[in-house]
Protein backbone atom coordinates (compact mmCIF):
# COMPACT_ATOMS: atom_id res chain seq x y z
CA UNK A 1 0.00 0.00 0.00
CA UNK A 2 1.66 3.20 -1.25
CA UNK A 3 0.90 5.97 1.21
CA UNK A 4 0.34 9.48 -0.05
CA UNK A 5 1.09 11.06 3.34
CA UNK A 6 3.65 10.31 6.03
CA UNK A 7 3.18 13.15 8.49
CA UNK A 8 5.25 13.64 11.64
CA UNK A 9 4.14 15.65 14.65
CA UNK A 10 6.78 18.34 15.18
CA UNK A 11 8.26 18.74 18.66
CA UNK A 12 11.50 19.56 20.42
CA UNK A 13 12.40 15.87 20.41
CA UNK A 14 11.84 15.62 16.66
CA UNK A 15 13.91 18.79 16.12
CA UNK A 16 16.76 17.35 18.19
CA UNK A 17 16.54 14.10 16.24
CA UNK A 18 16.99 15.90 12.92
CA UNK A 19 19.79 17.93 14.43
CA UNK A 20 21.72 14.87 15.61
CA UNK A 21 20.70 12.53 12.75
CA UNK A 22 20.42 14.64 9.58
CA UNK A 23 18.10 13.19 6.91
CA UNK A 24 16.86 10.48 9.32
CA UNK A 25 13.26 11.56 8.69
CA UNK A 26 13.65 12.40 5.03
CA UNK A 27 10.90 9.90 4.21
CA UNK A 28 8.30 12.15 5.84
CA UNK A 29 5.94 14.00 3.52
CA UNK A 30 5.00 16.68 6.09
CA UNK A 31 5.79 17.96 9.56
CA UNK A 32 2.70 19.01 11.53
CA UNK A 33 3.63 22.19 13.37
CA UNK A 34 1.94 23.13 16.68
CA UNK A 35 -0.13 26.28 17.08
CA UNK A 36 2.56 28.52 18.57
CA UNK A 37 2.39 32.25 17.78
CA UNK A 38 6.16 32.58 17.53
CA UNK A 39 6.58 29.58 15.24
CA UNK A 40 6.66 31.77 12.14
CA UNK A 41 7.71 35.27 13.26
CA UNK A 42 7.05 37.45 10.23
CA UNK A 43 10.16 39.60 10.58
CA UNK A 44 12.58 36.83 11.50
CA UNK A 45 15.17 35.26 9.24
CA UNK A 46 13.67 31.78 9.62
CA UNK A 47 12.00 31.74 6.20
CA UNK A 48 15.05 32.87 4.24
CA UNK A 49 17.26 30.63 6.33
CA UNK A 50 15.07 27.62 5.59
CA UNK A 51 15.19 28.08 1.83
CA UNK A 52 18.91 28.88 1.71
CA UNK A 53 20.29 25.49 2.74
CA UNK A 54 23.82 26.46 1.76
CA UNK A 55 24.15 28.76 4.77
CA UNK A 56 24.77 27.64 8.32
CA UNK A 57 21.78 26.84 10.52
CA UNK A 58 21.42 28.05 14.07
CA UNK A 59 20.40 25.18 16.36
CA UNK A 60 20.43 27.13 19.62
CA UNK A 61 16.62 27.02 19.75
CA UNK A 62 15.53 23.36 19.44
CA UNK A 63 12.03 24.28 18.24
CA UNK A 64 13.39 26.65 15.59
CA UNK A 65 11.85 25.55 12.28
CA UNK A 66 15.09 26.32 10.48
CA UNK A 67 16.14 22.88 11.72
CA UNK A 68 14.10 21.59 8.79
CA UNK A 69 16.88 22.78 6.48
CA UNK A 70 18.51 19.42 7.31
CA UNK A 71 15.85 17.70 5.21
CA UNK A 72 16.93 17.00 1.65
CA UNK A 73 15.21 18.47 -1.42
CA UNK A 74 13.21 21.02 0.55
CA UNK A 75 11.07 18.29 2.11
CA UNK A 76 9.08 17.52 4.13
CA UNK A 77 6.43 20.15 3.60
CA UNK A 78 4.65 21.60 6.60
CA UNK A 79 1.13 21.51 7.96
CA UNK A 80 0.36 24.51 10.16
CA UNK A 81 -2.04 23.97 13.06
CA UNK A 82 -4.60 26.61 14.06
CA UNK A 83 -6.51 26.16 17.34
CA UNK A 84 -10.09 27.36 17.19
CA UNK A 85 -10.20 28.10 20.92
CA UNK A 86 -7.60 30.87 20.54
CA UNK A 87 -9.51 32.82 17.91
CA UNK A 88 -12.62 34.63 16.82
CA UNK A 89 -13.73 34.81 13.18
CA UNK A 90 -11.56 37.80 12.33
CA UNK A 91 -8.38 36.56 13.96
CA UNK A 92 -8.58 33.02 12.58
CA UNK A 93 -9.16 34.42 9.09
CA UNK A 94 -6.14 36.69 9.44
CA UNK A 95 -4.02 33.83 10.74
CA UNK A 96 -4.96 31.56 7.83
CA UNK A 97 -4.24 34.28 5.27
CA UNK A 98 -0.95 35.14 6.96
CA UNK A 99 0.51 31.96 5.47
CA UNK A 100 0.07 33.56 2.04
CA UNK A 101 2.45 36.46 1.53
CA UNK A 102 5.97 37.56 0.83
CA UNK A 103 7.03 37.71 4.46
CA UNK A 104 5.58 34.34 5.42
CA UNK A 105 6.00 30.80 4.16
CA UNK A 106 3.54 30.38 1.30
CA UNK A 107 0.99 27.62 1.02
CA UNK A 108 1.77 25.23 -1.79
CA UNK A 109 5.47 26.13 -2.12
CA UNK A 110 8.09 23.41 -2.07
CA UNK A 111 9.28 23.06 1.50
CA UNK A 112 6.65 25.48 2.77
CA UNK A 113 3.26 25.19 4.47
CA UNK A 114 1.14 22.93 2.31
CA UNK A 115 -1.99 22.60 4.45
CA UNK A 116 -3.73 24.11 7.46
CA UNK A 117 -4.90 21.78 10.23
CA UNK A 118 -7.79 23.21 12.25
CA UNK A 119 -8.24 21.78 15.76
CA UNK A 120 -10.53 22.66 18.63
CA UNK A 121 -7.63 23.17 21.01
CA UNK A 122 -7.53 23.60 24.75
CA UNK A 123 -7.85 27.11 26.14
CA UNK A 124 -7.12 26.27 29.78
CA UNK A 125 -3.60 27.66 29.53
CA UNK A 126 -4.26 30.45 27.04
CA UNK A 127 -6.55 33.44 26.87
CA UNK A 128 -9.31 32.49 24.49
CA UNK A 129 -10.83 35.17 22.30
CA UNK A 130 -14.08 33.25 22.00
CA UNK A 131 -15.69 29.84 22.14
CA UNK A 132 -15.25 29.36 18.42
CA UNK A 133 -16.08 25.78 17.48
CA UNK A 134 -13.79 23.70 15.32
CA UNK A 135 -16.55 23.37 12.69
CA UNK A 136 -17.03 27.14 12.44
CA UNK A 137 -13.26 27.61 12.40
CA UNK A 138 -12.94 25.22 9.44
CA UNK A 139 -15.71 27.11 7.64
CA UNK A 140 -14.06 30.51 8.18
CA UNK A 141 -10.60 29.29 7.15
CA UNK A 142 -11.96 27.53 4.05
CA UNK A 143 -13.95 30.60 3.03
CA UNK A 144 -10.95 32.88 3.56
CA UNK A 145 -8.69 30.74 1.37
CA UNK A 146 -11.36 30.30 -1.30
CA UNK A 147 -11.97 34.06 -1.45
CA UNK A 148 -8.26 34.76 -1.87
CA UNK A 149 -8.29 35.13 -5.66
CA UNK A 150 -4.62 34.35 -6.22
CA UNK A 151 -4.92 31.07 -4.30
CA UNK A 152 -8.46 30.01 -5.18
CA UNK A 153 -7.78 26.28 -4.89
CA UNK A 154 -6.34 26.37 -1.38
CA UNK A 155 -9.69 25.79 0.31
CA UNK A 156 -9.03 22.12 -0.53
CA UNK A 157 -5.98 22.20 1.77
CA UNK A 158 -7.85 22.50 5.07
CA UNK A 159 -7.65 19.46 7.33
CA UNK A 160 -9.34 18.55 10.60
CA UNK A 161 -9.03 15.90 13.34
CA UNK A 162 -11.20 13.09 14.66
CA UNK A 163 -11.28 10.49 17.43
CA UNK A 164 -12.79 7.16 16.33
CA UNK A 165 -12.37 5.74 19.84
CA UNK A 166 -15.46 7.52 21.20
CA UNK A 167 -18.46 5.46 22.24
CA UNK A 168 -21.31 7.26 20.51
CA UNK A 169 -21.93 8.42 16.94
CA UNK A 170 -20.87 11.92 17.95
CA UNK A 171 -17.50 11.56 16.22
CA UNK A 172 -19.08 10.50 12.91
CA UNK A 173 -21.52 13.41 13.10
CA UNK A 174 -18.62 15.78 13.76
CA UNK A 175 -16.62 14.40 10.81
CA UNK A 176 -19.62 14.96 8.53
CA UNK A 177 -20.04 18.52 9.78
CA UNK A 178 -16.34 19.24 9.31
CA UNK A 179 -16.50 17.89 5.78
CA UNK A 180 -19.50 20.11 5.02
CA UNK A 181 -17.61 23.08 6.51
CA UNK A 182 -14.75 22.60 4.05
CA UNK A 183 -12.31 20.03 5.45
CA UNK A 184 -10.78 17.80 2.78
CA UNK A 185 -8.70 15.60 5.08
CA UNK A 186 -8.79 14.12 8.58
CA UNK A 187 -5.95 13.20 10.92
CA UNK A 188 -7.31 10.66 13.40
CA UNK A 189 -6.34 9.81 16.94
CA UNK A 190 -4.65 6.38 17.25
CA UNK A 191 -6.92 3.34 16.94
CA UNK A 192 -6.51 1.91 20.44
CA UNK A 193 -9.94 0.38 21.04
CA UNK A 194 -11.95 -2.21 19.15
CA UNK A 195 -14.73 0.25 18.35
CA UNK A 196 -12.30 2.64 16.62
CA UNK A 197 -12.24 0.24 13.65
CA UNK A 198 -16.02 -0.09 13.39
CA UNK A 199 -16.46 3.66 13.85
CA UNK A 200 -13.94 4.44 11.13
CA UNK A 201 -15.77 2.17 8.68
CA UNK A 202 -18.72 4.58 8.91
CA UNK A 203 -16.68 7.63 7.91
CA UNK A 204 -17.63 9.18 4.53
CA UNK A 205 -15.54 8.20 1.52
CA UNK A 206 -14.88 11.66 0.08
CA UNK A 207 -12.04 12.54 2.44
CA UNK A 208 -8.33 11.90 2.82
CA UNK A 209 -7.76 9.94 6.04
CA UNK A 210 -4.42 9.96 7.83
CA UNK A 211 -4.44 7.56 10.78
CA UNK A 212 -2.57 8.45 13.97
CA UNK A 213 0.33 6.18 14.97
CA UNK A 214 1.45 6.33 18.63
CA UNK A 215 4.89 5.21 19.79
CA UNK A 216 4.47 3.75 23.30
CA UNK A 217 7.57 2.11 24.77
CA UNK A 218 6.03 0.39 27.79
CA UNK A 219 2.63 -0.56 29.18
CA UNK A 220 2.83 2.62 31.25
CA UNK A 221 3.24 4.83 28.20
CA UNK A 222 0.41 2.93 26.50
CA UNK A 223 -1.76 3.84 29.48
CA UNK A 224 -0.71 7.46 28.96
CA UNK A 225 -2.09 7.30 25.43
CA UNK A 226 -5.27 5.70 26.72
CA UNK A 227 -5.61 8.52 29.25
CA UNK A 228 -5.71 11.02 26.41
CA UNK A 229 -8.95 9.43 25.25
CA UNK A 230 -10.78 11.01 28.18
CA UNK A 231 -12.81 9.87 31.18
CA UNK A 232 -15.55 8.32 29.05
CA UNK A 233 -13.10 5.60 28.03
CA UNK A 234 -12.36 4.26 31.49
CA UNK A 235 -13.73 0.89 30.38
CA UNK A 236 -10.73 0.43 28.08
CA UNK A 237 -9.38 -2.28 30.37
CA UNK A 238 -12.33 -4.42 29.30
CA UNK A 239 -11.59 -3.90 25.62
CA UNK A 240 -10.08 -6.93 23.88
CA UNK A 241 -7.86 -4.96 21.51
CA UNK A 242 -6.47 -2.69 24.22
CA UNK A 243 -5.78 -5.69 26.47
CA UNK A 244 -3.81 -7.32 23.65
CA UNK A 245 -1.77 -4.15 23.33
CA UNK A 246 -1.07 -4.20 27.07
CA UNK A 247 -0.14 -7.88 26.99
CA UNK A 248 2.46 -7.16 24.31
CA UNK A 249 4.35 -4.76 26.57
CA UNK A 250 3.78 -6.65 29.81
CA UNK A 251 5.36 -9.73 28.24
CA UNK A 252 8.51 -7.72 27.57
CA UNK A 253 8.16 -7.58 23.78
CA UNK A 254 9.83 -4.87 21.72
CA UNK A 255 8.11 -1.49 21.23
CA UNK A 256 9.26 -1.22 17.62
CA UNK A 257 7.56 -4.52 16.78
CA UNK A 258 4.37 -3.17 18.34
CA UNK A 259 4.45 -0.14 16.02
CA UNK A 260 4.97 -2.36 12.97
CA UNK A 261 2.11 -4.64 14.05
CA UNK A 262 -0.16 -1.63 14.66
CA UNK A 263 0.54 -0.17 11.20
CA UNK A 264 0.07 -3.51 9.46
CA UNK A 265 -3.25 -4.00 11.24
CA UNK A 266 -4.48 -0.59 10.06
CA UNK A 267 -3.41 -1.08 6.46
CA UNK A 268 -4.66 -4.68 6.27
CA UNK A 269 -8.07 -3.62 7.54
CA UNK A 270 -8.57 -0.53 5.42
CA UNK A 271 -6.13 -0.69 2.51
CA UNK A 272 -6.32 2.24 0.10
CA UNK A 273 -8.97 3.97 2.20
CA UNK A 274 -6.11 5.14 4.41
CA UNK A 275 -4.20 7.79 2.47
CA UNK A 276 -1.48 8.20 5.05
CA UNK A 277 -0.13 7.76 8.57
CA UNK A 278 0.47 10.47 11.17
CA UNK A 279 3.44 9.59 13.39
CA UNK A 280 3.19 10.82 16.99
CA UNK A 281 6.48 9.84 18.65
CA UNK A 282 6.41 12.22 21.67
CA UNK A 283 9.76 11.13 23.18
CA UNK A 284 10.21 7.83 21.34
CA UNK A 285 12.11 9.07 18.31
CA UNK A 286 14.33 5.97 18.35
CA UNK A 287 11.54 3.77 17.01
CA UNK A 288 10.51 6.53 14.61
CA UNK A 289 13.99 6.64 13.06
CA UNK A 290 14.08 2.84 12.84
CA UNK A 291 10.73 2.85 11.08
CA UNK A 292 11.81 5.42 8.52
CA UNK A 293 15.12 3.68 7.92
CA UNK A 294 13.25 0.45 7.26
CA UNK A 295 10.52 1.83 5.02
CA UNK A 296 12.66 4.21 2.96
CA UNK A 297 15.74 2.09 2.40
Amino acid sequence: NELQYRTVEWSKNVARTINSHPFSLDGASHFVLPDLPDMFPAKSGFVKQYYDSTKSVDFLEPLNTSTLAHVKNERPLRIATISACSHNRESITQTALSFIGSDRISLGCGGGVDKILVVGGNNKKTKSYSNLSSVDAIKFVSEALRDCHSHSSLHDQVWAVSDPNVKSNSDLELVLRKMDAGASGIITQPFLLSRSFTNFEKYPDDMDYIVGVPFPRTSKSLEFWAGLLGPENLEIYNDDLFLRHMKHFESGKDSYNWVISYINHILNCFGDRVKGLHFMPISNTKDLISLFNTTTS
Side-chain angles (χ1 to χ4, degrees), residues 164-165 188-193 196-197 200 203 211-212 214 241 245 258 262 266 270:
N165 296 283
T188 76
Q189 290 286 359
F191 289 21
L192 295 180
L193 305 180
S196 59
F197 288 81
F200 182 71
Y203 280 17
V211 175
L241 179 60
H245 291 326
W258 182 90
Y262 172 91
I266 296 292
F270 301 113

PDB file of all heavy atoms in Angstrom, residues 164-165 188-193 196-197 200 203 211-212 214 241 245 258 262 266 270:
ATOM      1  N   PRO A 164     -11.888   8.299  16.541  1.00  0.00           N
ATOM      2  CA  PRO A 164     -12.787   7.164  16.328  1.00  0.00           C
ATOM      3  C   PRO A 164     -12.936   6.260  17.541  1.00  0.00           C
ATOM      4  O   PRO A 164     -13.678   5.271  17.485  1.00  0.00           O
ATOM      5  CB  PRO A 164     -12.117   6.411  15.170  1.00  0.00           C
ATOM      6  CG  PRO A 164     -10.672   6.732  15.306  1.00  0.00           C
ATOM      7  CD  PRO A 164     -10.616   8.144  15.814  1.00  0.00           C
ATOM      8  N   ASN A 165     -12.263   6.576  18.637  1.00  0.00           N
ATOM      9  CA  ASN A 165     -12.369   5.741  19.839  1.00  0.00           C
ATOM     10  C   ASN A 165     -13.620   6.042  20.663  1.00  0.00           C
ATOM     11  O   ASN A 165     -13.918   5.295  21.599  1.00  0.00           O
ATOM     12  CB  ASN A 165     -11.142   5.959  20.732  1.00  0.00           C
ATOM     13  CG  ASN A 165      -9.850   5.507  20.059  1.00  0.00           C
ATOM     14  OD1 ASN A 165      -9.553   4.324  19.976  1.00  0.00           O
ATOM     15  ND2 ASN A 165      -9.074   6.471  19.569  1.00  0.00           N
ATOM     16  N   THR A 188      -6.596  11.299  12.303  1.00  0.00           N
ATOM     17  CA  THR A 188      -7.310  10.658  13.402  1.00  0.00           C
ATOM     18  C   THR A 188      -6.405  10.465  14.625  1.00  0.00           C
ATOM     19  O   THR A 188      -5.181  10.437  14.506  1.00  0.00           O
ATOM     20  CB  THR A 188      -7.846   9.276  12.996  1.00  0.00           C
ATOM     21  OG1 THR A 188      -6.765   8.322  12.982  1.00  0.00           O
ATOM     22  CG2 THR A 188      -8.525   9.313  11.645  1.00  0.00           C
ATOM     23  N   GLN A 189      -7.035  10.300  15.757  1.00  0.00           N
ATOM     24  CA  GLN A 189      -6.341   9.811  16.938  1.00  0.00           C
ATOM     25  C   GLN A 189      -5.978   8.336  16.700  1.00  0.00           C
ATOM     26  O   GLN A 189      -6.570   7.668  15.839  1.00  0.00           O
ATOM     27  CB  GLN A 189      -7.230   9.940  18.174  1.00  0.00           C
ATOM     28  CG  GLN A 189      -7.478  11.354  18.636  1.00  0.00           C
ATOM     29  CD  GLN A 189      -6.257  11.964  19.308  1.00  0.00           C
ATOM     30  OE1 GLN A 189      -5.222  11.322  19.443  1.00  0.00           O
ATOM     31  NE2 GLN A 189      -6.374  13.211  19.728  1.00  0.00           N
ATOM     32  N   PRO A 190      -5.004   7.803  17.419  1.00  0.00           N
ATOM     33  CA  PRO A 190      -4.646   6.384  17.251  1.00  0.00           C
ATOM     34  C   PRO A 190      -5.835   5.459  17.503  1.00  0.00           C
ATOM     35  O   PRO A 190      -6.689   5.746  18.335  1.00  0.00           O
ATOM     36  CB  PRO A 190      -3.555   6.179  18.311  1.00  0.00           C
ATOM     37  CG  PRO A 190      -2.965   7.528  18.527  1.00  0.00           C
ATOM     38  CD  PRO A 190      -4.105   8.491  18.375  1.00  0.00           C
ATOM     39  N   PHE A 191      -5.875   4.348  16.777  1.00  0.00           N
ATOM     40  CA  PHE A 191      -6.925   3.343  16.940  1.00  0.00           C
ATOM     41  C   PHE A 191      -6.511   2.406  18.070  1.00  0.00           C
ATOM     42  O   PHE A 191      -5.858   1.390  17.835  1.00  0.00           O
ATOM     43  CB  PHE A 191      -7.108   2.546  15.651  1.00  0.00           C
ATOM     44  CG  PHE A 191      -7.735   3.311  14.513  1.00  0.00           C
ATOM     45  CD1 PHE A 191      -7.716   4.696  14.470  1.00  0.00           C
ATOM     46  CD2 PHE A 191      -8.346   2.630  13.477  1.00  0.00           C
ATOM     47  CE1 PHE A 191      -8.293   5.396  13.417  1.00  0.00           C
ATOM     48  CE2 PHE A 191      -8.927   3.313  12.412  1.00  0.00           C
ATOM     49  CZ  PHE A 191      -8.896   4.696  12.381  1.00  0.00           C
ATOM     50  N   LEU A 192      -6.923   2.706  19.289  1.00  0.00           N
ATOM     51  CA  LEU A 192      -6.510   1.909  20.441  1.00  0.00           C
ATOM     52  C   LEU A 192      -7.588   0.951  20.928  1.00  0.00           C
ATOM     53  O   LEU A 192      -7.292   0.006  21.648  1.00  0.00           O
ATOM     54  CB  LEU A 192      -6.099   2.833  21.596  1.00  0.00           C
ATOM     55  CG  LEU A 192      -4.863   3.712  21.342  1.00  0.00           C
ATOM     56  CD1 LEU A 192      -4.563   4.566  22.570  1.00  0.00           C
ATOM     57  CD2 LEU A 192      -3.658   2.854  20.976  1.00  0.00           C
ATOM     58  N   LEU A 193      -8.830   1.202  20.564  1.00  0.00           N
ATOM     59  CA  LEU A 193      -9.942   0.376  21.041  1.00  0.00           C
ATOM     60  C   LEU A 193     -10.627  -0.338  19.874  1.00  0.00           C
ATOM     61  O   LEU A 193     -10.561   0.120  18.732  1.00  0.00           O
ATOM     62  CB  LEU A 193     -10.964   1.238  21.782  1.00  0.00           C
ATOM     63  CG  LEU A 193     -10.424   2.084  22.938  1.00  0.00           C
ATOM     64  CD1 LEU A 193     -11.550   2.885  23.583  1.00  0.00           C
ATOM     65  CD2 LEU A 193      -9.728   1.217  23.975  1.00  0.00           C
ATOM     66  N   SER A 196     -12.873   1.648  17.538  1.00  0.00           N
ATOM     67  CA  SER A 196     -12.303   2.636  16.617  1.00  0.00           C
ATOM     68  C   SER A 196     -12.343   2.120  15.180  1.00  0.00           C
ATOM     69  O   SER A 196     -12.509   2.902  14.241  1.00  0.00           O
ATOM     70  CB  SER A 196     -10.870   2.983  17.025  1.00  0.00           C
ATOM     71  OG  SER A 196     -10.049   1.835  17.035  1.00  0.00           O
ATOM     72  N   PHE A 197     -12.218   0.814  14.990  1.00  0.00           N
ATOM     73  CA  PHE A 197     -12.244   0.238  13.648  1.00  0.00           C
ATOM     74  C   PHE A 197     -13.654   0.259  13.069  1.00  0.00           C
ATOM     75  O   PHE A 197     -13.849   0.607  11.902  1.00  0.00           O
ATOM     76  CB  PHE A 197     -11.695  -1.191  13.677  1.00  0.00           C
ATOM     77  CG  PHE A 197     -10.211  -1.251  13.891  1.00  0.00           C
ATOM     78  CD1 PHE A 197      -9.666  -1.128  15.165  1.00  0.00           C
ATOM     79  CD2 PHE A 197      -9.348  -1.410  12.820  1.00  0.00           C
ATOM     80  CE1 PHE A 197      -8.293  -1.163  15.366  1.00  0.00           C
ATOM     81  CE2 PHE A 197      -7.967  -1.450  13.009  1.00  0.00           C
ATOM     82  CZ  PHE A 197      -7.446  -1.317  14.294  1.00  0.00           C
ATOM     83  N   PHE A 200     -14.601   3.904  12.308  1.00  0.00           N
ATOM     84  CA  PHE A 200     -13.937   4.443  11.125  1.00  0.00           C
ATOM     85  C   PHE A 200     -14.589   3.941   9.842  1.00  0.00           C
ATOM     86  O   PHE A 200     -14.626   4.653   8.826  1.00  0.00           O
ATOM     87  CB  PHE A 200     -12.456   4.066  11.149  1.00  0.00           C
ATOM     88  CG  PHE A 200     -11.665   4.617   9.991  1.00  0.00           C
ATOM     89  CD1 PHE A 200     -11.394   5.973   9.900  1.00  0.00           C
ATOM     90  CD2 PHE A 200     -11.191   3.773   9.001  1.00  0.00           C
ATOM     91  CE1 PHE A 200     -10.663   6.484   8.831  1.00  0.00           C
ATOM     92  CE2 PHE A 200     -10.452   4.272   7.933  1.00  0.00           C
ATOM     93  CZ  PHE A 200     -10.192   5.626   7.851  1.00  0.00           C
ATOM     94  N   TYR A 203     -17.095   6.312   8.394  1.00  0.00           N
ATOM     95  CA  TYR A 203     -16.684   7.631   7.912  1.00  0.00           C
ATOM     96  C   TYR A 203     -17.014   7.767   6.416  1.00  0.00           C
ATOM     97  O   TYR A 203     -16.945   6.790   5.669  1.00  0.00           O
ATOM     98  CB  TYR A 203     -15.184   7.830   8.110  1.00  0.00           C
ATOM     99  CG  TYR A 203     -14.750   8.211   9.517  1.00  0.00           C
ATOM    100  CD1 TYR A 203     -15.588   8.020  10.616  1.00  0.00           C
ATOM    101  CD2 TYR A 203     -13.496   8.752   9.737  1.00  0.00           C
ATOM    102  CE1 TYR A 203     -15.171   8.358  11.888  1.00  0.00           C
ATOM    103  CE2 TYR A 203     -13.062   9.095  11.014  1.00  0.00           C
ATOM    104  CZ  TYR A 203     -13.909   8.895  12.093  1.00  0.00           C
ATOM    105  OH  TYR A 203     -13.506   9.234  13.354  1.00  0.00           O
ATOM    106  N   VAL A 211      -4.206   8.212   9.495  1.00  0.00           N
ATOM    107  CA  VAL A 211      -4.442   7.563  10.785  1.00  0.00           C
ATOM    108  C   VAL A 211      -3.261   7.797  11.736  1.00  0.00           C
ATOM    109  O   VAL A 211      -2.100   7.622  11.355  1.00  0.00           O
ATOM    110  CB  VAL A 211      -4.676   6.050  10.598  1.00  0.00           C
ATOM    111  CG1 VAL A 211      -4.797   5.350  11.952  1.00  0.00           C
ATOM    112  CG2 VAL A 211      -5.930   5.812   9.768  1.00  0.00           C
ATOM    113  N   GLY A 212      -3.582   8.192  12.962  1.00  0.00           N
ATOM    114  CA  GLY A 212      -2.566   8.454  13.969  1.00  0.00           C
ATOM    115  C   GLY A 212      -1.842   7.193  14.410  1.00  0.00           C
ATOM    116  O   GLY A 212      -2.464   6.141  14.624  1.00  0.00           O
ATOM    117  N   PRO A 214       0.739   6.013  17.387  1.00  0.00           N
ATOM    118  CA  PRO A 214       1.455   6.335  18.626  1.00  0.00           C
ATOM    119  C   PRO A 214       2.739   5.514  18.722  1.00  0.00           C
ATOM    120  O   PRO A 214       2.909   4.522  18.010  1.00  0.00           O
ATOM    121  CB  PRO A 214       0.464   5.928  19.711  1.00  0.00           C
ATOM    122  CG  PRO A 214      -0.249   4.743  19.112  1.00  0.00           C
ATOM    123  CD  PRO A 214      -0.327   5.021  17.622  1.00  0.00           C
ATOM    124  N   LEU A 241      -9.004  -5.458  22.268  1.00  0.00           N
ATOM    125  CA  LEU A 241      -7.858  -4.958  21.515  1.00  0.00           C
ATOM    126  C   LEU A 241      -6.870  -4.252  22.433  1.00  0.00           C
ATOM    127  O   LEU A 241      -5.655  -4.484  22.342  1.00  0.00           O
ATOM    128  CB  LEU A 241      -8.326  -3.999  20.418  1.00  0.00           C
ATOM    129  CG  LEU A 241      -7.216  -3.378  19.569  1.00  0.00           C
ATOM    130  CD1 LEU A 241      -6.413  -4.450  18.847  1.00  0.00           C
ATOM    131  CD2 LEU A 241      -7.796  -2.378  18.561  1.00  0.00           C
ATOM    132  N   HIS A 245      -2.875  -5.113  23.364  1.00  0.00           N
ATOM    133  CA  HIS A 245      -1.772  -4.153  23.330  1.00  0.00           C
ATOM    134  C   HIS A 245      -0.991  -4.186  24.651  1.00  0.00           C
ATOM    135  O   HIS A 245       0.249  -4.212  24.662  1.00  0.00           O
ATOM    136  CB  HIS A 245      -2.310  -2.735  23.103  1.00  0.00           C
ATOM    137  CG  HIS A 245      -2.886  -2.504  21.753  1.00  0.00           C
ATOM    138  ND1 HIS A 245      -2.395  -3.116  20.627  1.00  0.00           N
ATOM    139  CD2 HIS A 245      -3.905  -1.697  21.340  1.00  0.00           C
ATOM    140  CE1 HIS A 245      -3.090  -2.709  19.571  1.00  0.00           C
ATOM    141  NE2 HIS A 245      -4.003  -1.850  19.986  1.00  0.00           N
ATOM    142  N   TRP A 258       5.762  -3.552  18.107  1.00  0.00           N
ATOM    143  CA  TRP A 258       4.370  -3.171  18.336  1.00  0.00           C
ATOM    144  C   TRP A 258       3.931  -2.144  17.294  1.00  0.00           C
ATOM    145  O   TRP A 258       2.825  -2.233  16.743  1.00  0.00           O
ATOM    146  CB  TRP A 258       4.191  -2.578  19.738  1.00  0.00           C
ATOM    147  CG  TRP A 258       2.755  -2.223  20.033  1.00  0.00           C
ATOM    148  CD1 TRP A 258       1.811  -3.024  20.598  1.00  0.00           C
ATOM    149  CD2 TRP A 258       2.101  -0.979  19.742  1.00  0.00           C
ATOM    150  NE1 TRP A 258       0.604  -2.364  20.689  1.00  0.00           N
ATOM    151  CE2 TRP A 258       0.757  -1.107  20.158  1.00  0.00           C
ATOM    152  CE3 TRP A 258       2.516   0.221  19.174  1.00  0.00           C
ATOM    153  CZ2 TRP A 258      -0.172  -0.078  20.023  1.00  0.00           C
ATOM    154  CZ3 TRP A 258       1.588   1.255  19.022  1.00  0.00           C
ATOM    155  CH2 TRP A 258       0.268   1.105  19.456  1.00  0.00           C
ATOM    156  N   TYR A 262       0.955  -2.594  14.676  1.00  0.00           N
ATOM    157  CA  TYR A 262      -0.159  -1.631  14.660  1.00  0.00           C
ATOM    158  C   TYR A 262      -0.399  -1.118  13.243  1.00  0.00           C
ATOM    159  O   TYR A 262      -1.535  -1.094  12.755  1.00  0.00           O
ATOM    160  CB  TYR A 262       0.168  -0.477  15.605  1.00  0.00           C
ATOM    161  CG  TYR A 262      -0.816   0.685  15.552  1.00  0.00           C
ATOM    162  CD1 TYR A 262      -1.914   0.725  16.408  1.00  0.00           C
ATOM    163  CD2 TYR A 262      -0.624   1.739  14.656  1.00  0.00           C
ATOM    164  CE1 TYR A 262      -2.808   1.781  16.356  1.00  0.00           C
ATOM    165  CE2 TYR A 262      -1.518   2.792  14.601  1.00  0.00           C
ATOM    166  CZ  TYR A 262      -2.600   2.816  15.448  1.00  0.00           C
ATOM    167  OH  TYR A 262      -3.489   3.869  15.387  1.00  0.00           O
ATOM    168  N   ILE A 266      -3.714  -1.679  10.669  1.00  0.00           N
ATOM    169  CA  ILE A 266      -4.480  -0.590  10.061  1.00  0.00           C
ATOM    170  C   ILE A 266      -4.572  -0.777   8.550  1.00  0.00           C
ATOM    171  O   ILE A 266      -5.655  -0.715   7.952  1.00  0.00           O
ATOM    172  CB  ILE A 266      -3.838   0.779  10.379  1.00  0.00           C
ATOM    173  CG1 ILE A 266      -3.882   1.082  11.887  1.00  0.00           C
ATOM    174  CG2 ILE A 266      -4.515   1.896   9.576  1.00  0.00           C
ATOM    175  CD1 ILE A 266      -5.252   1.311  12.445  1.00  0.00           C
ATOM    176  N   PHE A 270      -7.954  -1.592   6.200  1.00  0.00           N
ATOM    177  CA  PHE A 270      -8.574  -0.527   5.417  1.00  0.00           C
ATOM    178  C   PHE A 270      -7.920  -0.248   4.071  1.00  0.00           C
ATOM    179  O   PHE A 270      -8.481   0.473   3.250  1.00  0.00           O
ATOM    180  CB  PHE A 270      -8.607   0.766   6.243  1.00  0.00           C
ATOM    181  CG  PHE A 270      -9.355   0.628   7.528  1.00  0.00           C
ATOM    182  CD1 PHE A 270      -8.701   0.702   8.746  1.00  0.00           C
ATOM    183  CD2 PHE A 270     -10.722   0.390   7.525  1.00  0.00           C
ATOM    184  CE1 PHE A 270      -9.395   0.564   9.937  1.00  0.00           C
ATOM    185  CE2 PHE A 270     -11.425   0.244   8.713  1.00  0.00           C
ATOM    186  CZ  PHE A 270     -10.759   0.326   9.924  1.00  0.00           C
TER     187      PHE A 270
END
